[in-house]
Amino acid sequence: MSDLSTQIAVNLAAVRSRIVQAAQRSDRSVEDVRLVAVTKYARLEWVRSLVDAGQTLLGESRPQQLIERAGELPGQIEWHLIGHLQRNKVRAVLPHVAMIHSVDSLRLAERISDIAGQLSLTPRVLLEVNVSGEASKDGFPADRLQAEWPMLRRLPNLQIDGLMTMAPVSDDPQDARPTFRGLRELREKLSTDAKDAAALPELSMGMSGDFEVAIEEEASLVRIGSALFEGLPTES
Ligand SMILES: *Cc1c(COP(=O)(O)O)cnc(C)c1O
């Protein structure tokens, strides 16, 4: 193994062990927390090393880069789109993604459902919520999501599996807790409305700086990038 793949394998093992510890601390089963390795800033060879080390669930934030990499990397990878999706990119990206975390409006959800119908697909999606209410953030405001939920639920060619959010930027992971808790409470409200407590199994929340807090607040998908690529050169 090259130094590079060794470093990546070491980083991956360290992140996984922190996930296990956070799950155990919060009396959760480790299988209920999945790692989405975010490769948006990673060079292709780094991504190859990650896959070789056994990490096959990958997240990209730009549709174009996801499509390109899906063509360059082996087929067993499960690709998640975690960044903003423009309506005119839906058709190109849908065949390549296992899940879209970033559905941030009813209009986009409708568009995905339409195109998915044409392509005979039923993509799994998460609804992105702007829990913290920051003006700069994408996502449904919580009250709008509740208002539009009946329409979202009725879209025929989507499987809405849960919710996603991003916490405000901060050096203190505890600052993220109210946002993560807010997402969990919103999920509870929506699943009661749906008269189906088992609905919305996924909560996508937590990044390198705050994923342990997210796991304590019931994250099922943590999206981690920079912690996996620590100690690697940033320039090629
Ligand atoms: C980049 C990104 C991440 C990963 O962030 P890190 O701090 O590098 O772990 C997670 N989620 C989204 C939506 C991102 O864009």
Side-chain angles (χ1 to χ4, degrees):
M1 277 213 288
S2 68
D3 289 352
L4 185 122
S5 10
T6 307
Q7 181 72 58
I8 288 177
V10 166
N11 290 351
L12 177 63
V15 166
R16 283 187 177 157
S17 119
R18 287 170 61 190
I19 290 174
V20 169
Q21 286 166 30
Q24 286 170 345
R25 267 202 312 276
S26 28
D27 276 326
R28 301 190 54 206
S29 163
V30 174
E31 291 82 61
D32 293 342
V33 185
R34 292 202 300 154
L35 167 63
V36 181
V38 176
T39 51
K40 63 181 177 200
Y41 298 131
R43 283 146 50 184
L44 190 62
E45 54 174 325
W46 303 0
V47 186
R48 285 217 170 86
S49 298
L50 256 190
V51 175
D52 289 345
Q55 177 65 32
T56 53
L57 171 47
L58 304 183
E60 280 286 343
S61 56
R62 285 191 293 127
Q64 194 54 43
Q65 183 155 310
L66 187 155
I67 293 165
E68 281 167 26
R69 290 185 161 182
E72 286 164 328
L73 289 159
Q76 86 270 17
I77 293 172
E78 180 180 340
W79 289 103
H80 288 202
L81 180 68
I82 60 168
H84 184 65
L85 176 58
Q86 288 175 290
R87 295 164 77 248
N88 64 7
K89 297 277 172 55
V90 171
R91 188 181 299 278
V93 86
L94 268 193
H96 303 285
V97 285
M99 186 181 278
I100 301 172
H101 291 224
S102 42
V103 176
D104 55 8
S105 71
L106 177 58
R107 251 161 69 90
L108 175 61
E110 287 170 341
R111 173 80 174 179
I112 296 172
S113 181
D114 284 351
I115 306 274
Q118 292 167 24
L119 301 176
S120 301
L121 297 170
T122 311
R124 298 163 64 201
V125 306
L126 307 179
L127 303 174
E128 180 172 357
V129 188
N130 182 356
V131 177
S132 59
E134 292 161 277
S136 60
K137 276 219 159 74
D138 290 328
F140 287 87
D143 52 349
R144 184 186 306 156
L145 177 55
Q146 284 184 271
E148 295 181 342
W149 176 237
M151 284 169 282
L152 288 159
R153 282 189 69 214
R154 254 182 259 124
L155 294 172
N157 307 310
L158 288 187
Q159 180 176 324
I160 301 178
D161 270 354
L163 306 177
M164 180 271 226
T165 200
M166 290 175 76
V169 176
S170 165
D171 290 338
D172 181 358
Q174 294 301 335
D175 289 346
R177 193 180 295 279
T179 302
F180 297 154
R181 185 169 292 164
L183 195 71
R184 171 161 65 75
E185 289 169 355
L186 183 59
R187 186 249 302 266
E188 278 156 28
K189 281 186 199 138
L190 296 176
S191 9
T192 319
D193 290 353
K195 299 193 176 29
D196 179 1
L200 305 176
E202 305 284 3
L203 289 182
S204 167
M205 53 192 197
M207 320 201 315
S208 293
D210 54 23
F211 69 88
E212 284 142 319
V213 173
I215 291 169
E216 290 166 13
E217 297 296 335
E218 294 185 20
S220 63
L221 292 162
V222 287
R223 309 178 309 267
I224 299 177
S226 42
L228 294 171
F229 303 110
E230 268 165 23
L232 296 167
T234 47
E235 286 301 312
S236 42

